[in-house]
Amino acid sequence: MVDYRGIFEDAVDALRQEKRYRVFADIERVAGRFPTAIYRDQSDNQREITIWCSNDYLGMGQHPKVIAAMQETAAKLGVGAGGTRNISGTNRPLVELERSLADLHRKESALVFTSGFVSNEAAIATIARLMPDCIIFSDQLNHASMIQGVRQSGMEKKIFRHNDVAHLRELLMAVERKRPKLIAFESVYSMDGDTAPIKAIADLAEEFGALTYVDEVHAVGMYGARGGGIAEREGLMERIDIIEGTLAKGFGVMGGYIAANRAIVDAVRSYAPEFIFTTALPPALCAAARASIEHLKVSDGERRSHQRQVQLTKQMLAEAGLPVMPSETHIVPLMVGDARLVKAASDLLLSKHNIYIQPINYPTVPRGTERLRITPTPLHTDEMVAALRQALVSVWAELELPRERPQTELSAGDLMLTPAGG
Amino acid sequence: MVDYRGIFEDAVDALRQEKRYRVFADIERVAGRFPTAIYRDQSDNQREITIWCSNDYLGMGQHPKVIAAMQETAAKLGVGAGGTRNISGTNRPLVELERSLADLHRKESALVFTSGFVSNEAAIATIARLMPDCIIFSDQLNHASMIQGVRQSGMEKKIFRHNDVAHLRELLMAVERKRPKLIAFESVYSMDGDTAPIKAIADLAEEFGALTYVDEVHAVGMYGARGGGIAEREGLMERIDIIEGTLAKGFGVMGGYIAANRAIVDAVRSYAPEFIFTTALPPALCAAARASIEHLKVSDGERRSHQRQVQLTKQMLAEAGLPVMPSETHIVPLMVGDARLVKAASDLLLSKHNIYIQPINYPTVPRGTERLRITPTPLHTDEMVAALRQALVSVWAELELPRERPQTELSAGDLMLTPAGG
């Protein structure tokens, strides 16, 4: 007989041996006090910590308007949607949320999913499948969910070197003009904090007649005059066919979405099994997300404070001689380069300094580029930044971690498919 | 140049021509008054309707304890989780929810996903991929999400005829003993309302050394002494290796989960990209779901009233000569057998009788078996059942719909892969 338990235990032991077995920290956020939270260790002892790795980038998850929208809608409409979108689940706040998202990106239509992962998987796979003989051009560092969408479609794919427009052009030139083409990329790459050359990609798409699909998950709410993302900031939203985003990061709630023209959205709505066969997002969540989006359309204060604290953090850590990776955005990665050491650094920060920064290891980043990924928010005070610097300097000394500024360019031949983001 | 807009418009037009283009009804539930809701038509006119097709089977989405749990947790912890499970998203209410689910099914461990669709896709694909040379035995009528998990795994599969244990035995006998095997099926099939021969399947699994995976999505909360599902009711939970369920139907909230031994859950937790790369469920949702689960563990009143109203509905509709399909559960399908007619019946119920029952068509059910699918809840009063009967009789007469009791057995050769459930 097969030893099933043994098979699964061995699979997990393999991760332990590679020092990349993940233990999830048990955290209780305190509304009104974020980024402060309560941490519970394995023995259920509690203490206060400061979170420095949250993807609630602007702290909108505790914004009073957003909390109130959830509470009021739960009181009025109840807690769940009660069905799939087709089977009684299309609730009023969800209809309003989709209108708010279409307006945010100046598109005809928008469609909400339960997560950013599902929106990428469902939208890419469905769009590609509906185009006969389609070929997908996918950035080498695209997120795991985009890779899954590409695979799921079953269509031919070409991987272009990360942000390499010349390589993308080469690949496009090699394909017949009449074939449908989809170029899929991210505006902000979440583990390095670099951004895509959106204009150059849109120019290529126009030249070669390709559809463009951009994942703005790490940008919506945070960039652009109304929080529409990098494409809005650069005046390029109308040159992108499909904008994908999340409600779970800058907007602080949960869920994912696409915004596009009516024909594309209606086709995904009508054909994607991940969408059709899933219970709709609860009204209270939709109302909370919409409150957050609408607030950030008109309020620029969060974005300004965010950028200020990000610059301060980068500067203070760099001045302290820490290996801050060059990043154009709000993501501040510190290279460690070793799975065991990055775990030790994270453990020490938590146990000795009450600072929580999750180690980032394979498969989220390539092996040998393990790192601490720091995400300052508008709610991290200058004092917290100073305490962070002090703690990191102490940990770097105690563990004798490398201080050289890392070389982040990948070699030309390094065309791996690395899923990122978890 | 490719006419992209035309491609997507044509894809959607094809659905219109087949009369299966779906228009989502825009519904606003009213907490405390479910199944009454407010319906908005295309011109934004509002009126009160009665929902007769909700998957909030017990009305737990408006239970005061469940609403209070969401409100209180939103006030205390805020609205979002702030990250993936690994990156600061593992919140205290989520940890407690997983304990509550493991206890519900008497398993060592449980793992929560954002939806039932994702839990099936991620768990089946990951479990199968981790077992070298695995072969999957899948019921012919399994849900679209299970089919997607099977495909995603890339492993060999055998489809057994719906609920046909003799056929499953044949297929098992033809495979070498030493190969890992996974038998995947549902306890309640949601479109016909029939149940699986769980004991016979568990016996076969034991005889041939296979793992068993059961989807209890349409049973949890509603069957068994504590709401553990059909397997609990029949005393078979410990003979099933992996129990998959949802928080969105009987429990009235949203999200999906698996419960299994620690090794299996840890392996899925560690390897499934759909899990790793997704923001964790918000604390307020987790607290609401847990309140619902814990309430239904000790309260049997909802289950008793539910079964009473289901029996009453079946009996009254059958007595009125309506074509009620034979169902062993709380799902009451009325066969129509034609895409155009089922849509016309649904439209007439809504426009003339203020009763909302979504038409169910392909791909949710096979073509030619289009139906109205009625789901009585404990909150549908006897008067509502009488009004439903009257409305249906009127619609059946007006549209001259068939009254014969349908033949539901599929022919032996009819081995299609029909995704169901949306």
Side-chain angles (χ1 to χ4, degrees):
Chain A
M1 284 292 180
V2 179
D3 171 18
Y4 289 105
R5 189 155 192 142
I7 289 175
F8 296 107
E9 283 171 349
D10 289 351
V12 170
D13 278 345
L15 299 178
R16 282 207 188 83
Q17 278 158 32
E18 287 190 46
K19 305 293 174 207
R20 56 188 190 87
Y21 180 78
R22 291 166 167 192
V23 177
F24 297 155
D26 179 352
I27 291 174
E28 186 169 325
R29 290 170 52 145
V30 185
R33 296 193 58 216
F34 176 77
T36 301
I38 296 161
Y39 167 73
R40 275 182 180 75
D41 66 20
Q42 308 274 8
S43 322
D44 221 36
N45 296 318
Q46 301 179 28
R47 64 178 201 279
E48 271 198 15
I49 56 164
T50 305
I51 301 180
W52 270 102
C53 62
S54 177
N55 283 343
D56 184 1
Y57 293 126
L58 299 176
M60 291 304 289
Q62 70 164 19
H63 194 288
K65 280 192 208 170
V66 179
I67 293 175
M70 175 175 267
Q71 290 182 305
E72 285 160 21
T73 309
K76 276 175 59 188
L77 278 68
V79 161
T84 64
R85 288 296 295 267
N86 192 44
I87 306 180
S88 88
T90 298
N91 55 82
R92 178 104 284 241
L94 179 42
V95 172
E96 289 168 347
L97 170 60
E98 288 179 338
R99 283 182 194 156
S100 168
L101 288 165
D103 167 72
L104 174 65
H105 295 292
R106 308 287 191 206
K107 297 289 181 195
E108 289 172 6
S109 204
L111 196 68
V112 165
F113 302 81
T114 46
S115 71
F117 193 105
V118 173
S119 59
N120 271 331
E121 175 182 314
I124 292 175
T126 303
I127 289 168
R129 271 197 299 250
L130 287 175
M131 300 194 290
D133 198 28
C134 161
I135 176 163
I136 305 171
F137 300 84
S138 177
D139 187 282
Q140 167 194 10
L141 291 187
N142 273 346
H143 188 262
S145 55
M146 301 174 78
I147 295 171
Q148 184 138 322
V150 172
R151 285 206 191 120
Q152 192 94 267
S153 76
M155 307 308 285
E156 189 182 343
K157 67 165 187 283
K158 299 281 179 195
I159 312 297
F160 59 96
R161 283 190 293 269
H162 179 52
N163 281 346
D164 186 337
V165 181
H167 189 213
L168 174 57
R169 163 181 283 278
E170 256 176 59
L171 295 174
L172 282 164
M173 282 181 69
V175 174
E176 285 176 274
R177 278 199 94 72
K178 62 171 192 193
R179 282 184 74 179
K181 299 171 194 71
L182 178 67
I183 305 175
F185 62 106
E186 302 183 34
S187 67
V188 174
Y189 289 86
S190 69
M191 292 298 145
D192 294 336
D194 57 335
T195 58
I198 303 182
K199 181 172 183 306
I201 292 176
D203 288 346
L204 278 182
E206 197 173 305
E207 183 180 345
F208 291 93
L211 276 188
T212 45
Y213 182 107
V214 67
D215 173 327
E216 287 254 33
V217 154
H218 295 275
V220 288
M222 289 171 286
Y223 298 93
R226 299 200 309 155
I230 302 284
E232 186 193 22
R233 186 186 73 184
E234 303 185 2
L236 295 166
M237 282 201 297
E238 66 179 350
R239 299 196 60 203
I240 301 294
D241 295 294
I242 303 112
I243 296 177
E244 186 267 345
T246 181
L247 307 170
K249 302 186 198 288
F251 297 126
V253 189
M254 85 168 283
Y257 66 89
I258 58 166
N261 70 35
R262 196 165 288 118
I264 291 176
V265 168
D266 204 14
V268 174
R269 183 188 77 90
S270 300
Y271 282 98
E274 300 87 346
F275 174 82
I276 295 172
F277 298 104
T278 293
T279 298
L281 222 57
L285 270 189
C286 297
R290 179 162 168 257
S292 181
I293 294 162
E294 293 298 327
H295 175 81
L296 289 172
K297 276 181 189 172
V298 294
S299 169
D300 209 36
E302 290 81 3
R303 284 186 282 273
R304 280 201 313 270
S305 318
H306 186 215
Q307 290 302 322
R308 182 188 177 280
Q309 294 318 90
V310 166
Q311 293 315 321
L312 178 69
T313 306
K314 284 179 177 174
Q315 187 189 328
M316 288 191 72
L317 301 191
E319 283 172 5
L322 292 160
V324 181
M325 292 169 63
S327 151
E328 305 152 42
T329 60
H330 57 284
I331 291 155
V332 186
L334 278 190
M335 183 64 83
V336 175
D338 179 275
R340 191 183 55 78
L341 286 175
V342 76
K343 176 83 169 73
S346 171
D347 288 348
L348 203 53
L349 282 167
L350 188 57
S351 62
K352 206 161 162 179
H353 304 275
N354 295 320
I355 281 176
Y356 176 57
I357 308 174
Q358 188 58 36
I360 306 284
N361 52 22
Y362 180 84
T364 303
V365 294
R367 293 177 210 269
T369 71
E370 289 82 2
R371 67 195 68 175
L372 295 176
R373 174 181 176 274
I374 297 167
T375 53
T377 72
L379 302 164
H380 286 92
T381 62
D382 293 3
E383 292 68 37
M384 286 175 177
V385 178
L388 172 70
R389 178 181 60 178
Q390 196 171 6
L392 286 168
V393 166
S394 154
V395 165
W396 244 251
E398 187 166 342
L399 297 175
E400 299 179 357
L401 298 178
R403 283 176 171 273
E404 60 272 22
R405 277 280 280 271
Q407 174 60 271
T408 55
E409 291 301 311
L410 290 163
S411 70
D414 194 11
L415 275 182
M416 75 213 121
L417 267 176
T418 309
Chain B
M1 285 294 180
V2 180
D3 171 18
Y4 289 106
R5 190 156 191 142
I7 290 176
F8 296 106
E9 282 171 350
D10 288 351
V12 170
D13 278 345
L15 299 178
R16 282 206 189 85
Q17 277 158 32
E18 287 190 47
K19 305 292 173 205
R20 56 188 189 85
Y21 179 78
R22 292 167 168 190
V23 177
F24 299 155
D26 179 352
I27 290 174
E28 183 169 328
R29 291 171 49 149
V30 185
R33 298 194 56 215
F34 178 78
T36 300
I38 296 162
Y39 167 73
R40 273 182 181 75
D41 66 20
Q42 309 274 9
S43 324
D44 221 37
N45 297 317
Q46 302 179 27
R47 64 179 199 276
E48 270 199 14
I49 56 164
T50 306
I51 301 179
W52 270 103
C53 63
S54 176
N55 283 342
D56 183 0
Y57 292 127
L58 299 175
M60 291 303 290
Q62 69 165 19
H63 196 288
K65 280 191 207 171
V66 179
I67 293 175
M70 174 175 268
Q71 291 182 305
E72 285 160 20
T73 310
K76 276 176 60 188
L77 278 69
V79 161
T84 63
R85 289 297 295 267
N86 192 44
I87 305 182
S88 87
T90 298
N91 56 81
R92 176 105 287 241
L94 179 43
V95 172
E96 289 168 347
L97 170 62
E98 288 179 339
R99 283 182 194 154
S100 168
L101 288 165
D103 167 73
L104 175 65
H105 295 292
R106 309 288 191 205
K107 298 289 179 194
E108 291 171 4
S109 206
L111 196 68
V112 166
F113 302 80
T114 45
S115 71
F117 193 105
V118 173
S119 59
N120 271 331
E121 173 182 316
I124 293 175
T126 303
I127 288 167
R129 271 197 298 250
L130 288 174
M131 300 195 290
D133 200 27
C134 162
I135 177 163
I136 306 171
F137 300 85
S138 178
D139 188 281
Q140 167 195 10
L141 290 188
N142 274 345
H143 188 261
S145 55
M146 301 175 77
I147 295 171
Q148 184 139 323
V150 171
R151 284 205 192 123
Q152 190 95 268
S153 76
M155 307 307 286
E156 189 182 344
K157 66 165 187 286
K158 300 278 179 197
I159 312 297
F160 60 94
R161 281 190 293 269
H162 179 52
N163 280 346
D164 186 336
V165 182
H167 189 213
L168 174 58
R169 163 181 284 277
E170 256 176 59
L171 295 173
L172 283 164
M173 283 182 69
V175 174
E176 284 175 275
R177 280 198 93 72
K178 62 170 192 194
R179 281 184 74 178
K181 300 170 194 70
L182 178 67
I183 304 174
F185 62 106
E186 302 183 36
S187 67
V188 174
Y189 289 85
S190 68
M191 292 298 145
D192 293 336
D194 58 334
T195 59
I198 304 183
K199 182 171 182 307
I201 292 176
D203 288 346
L204 278 182
E206 197 173 306
E207 185 179 344
F208 291 93
L211 276 187
T212 45
Y213 182 107
V214 68
D215 174 327
E216 287 254 35
V217 154
H218 295 274
V220 290
M222 288 170 286
Y223 298 92
R226 298 199 310 155
I230 302 284
E232 185 192 25
R233 185 186 72 184
E234 301 185 4
L236 295 167
M237 281 201 298
E238 66 178 352
R239 299 197 60 203
I240 301 295
D241 295 294
I242 303 111
I243 295 176
E244 186 267 345
T246 181
L247 307 170
K249 302 185 198 290
F251 297 127
V253 189
M254 84 167 283
Y257 66 89
I258 58 166
N261 71 35
R262 197 165 287 115
I264 291 175
V265 169
D266 205 12
V268 174
R269 183 188 76 91
S270 301
Y271 282 97
E274 299 87 346
F275 174 82
I276 294 174
F277 298 104
T278 293
T279 298
L281 222 57
L285 269 190
C286 297
R290 180 163 169 258
S292 182
I293 295 162
E294 292 299 327
H295 175 82
L296 290 171
K297 277 182 187 170
V298 294
S299 170
D300 210 35
E302 289 82 2
R303 283 185 284 273
R304 279 201 314 271
S305 317
H306 185 215
Q307 290 303 321
R308 182 189 177 279
Q309 295 317 91
V310 166
Q311 293 316 322
L312 178 69
T313 306
K314 284 180 178 174
Q315 188 190 325
M316 288 191 71
L317 301 191
E319 282 172 6
L322 293 159
V324 181
M325 293 169 64
S327 152
E328 305 153 42
T329 61
H330 57 284
I331 291 155
V332 186
L334 279 191
M335 183 64 84
V336 175
D338 179 273
R340 192 183 54 79
L341 286 174
V342 76
K343 176 80 169 71
S346 172
D347 288 347
L348 204 51
L349 282 166
L350 188 58
S351 61
K352 204 161 163 179
H353 305 276
N354 294 322
I355 282 176
Y356 176 57
I357 307 175
Q358 188 58 37
I360 306 283
N361 51 22
Y362 179 84
T364 304
V365 295
R367 292 177 210 269
T369 71
E370 289 81 1
R371 65 196 68 176
L372 295 176
R373 174 182 176 272
I374 297 167
T375 53
T377 73
L379 303 165
H380 285 93
T381 62
D382 294 3
E383 292 68 35
M384 286 174 176
V385 178
L388 171 70
R389 178 181 60 178
Q390 196 170 5
L392 286 168
V393 166
S394 153
V395 166
W396 245 250
E398 188 166 343
L399 297 176
E400 299 179 357
L401 298 178
R403 284 175 171 274
E404 59 271 24
R405 278 280 279 270
Q407 174 61 272
T408 56
E409 290 302 309
L410 291 162
S411 70
D414 195 12
L415 274 181
M416 76 213 120
L417 268 176
T418 307

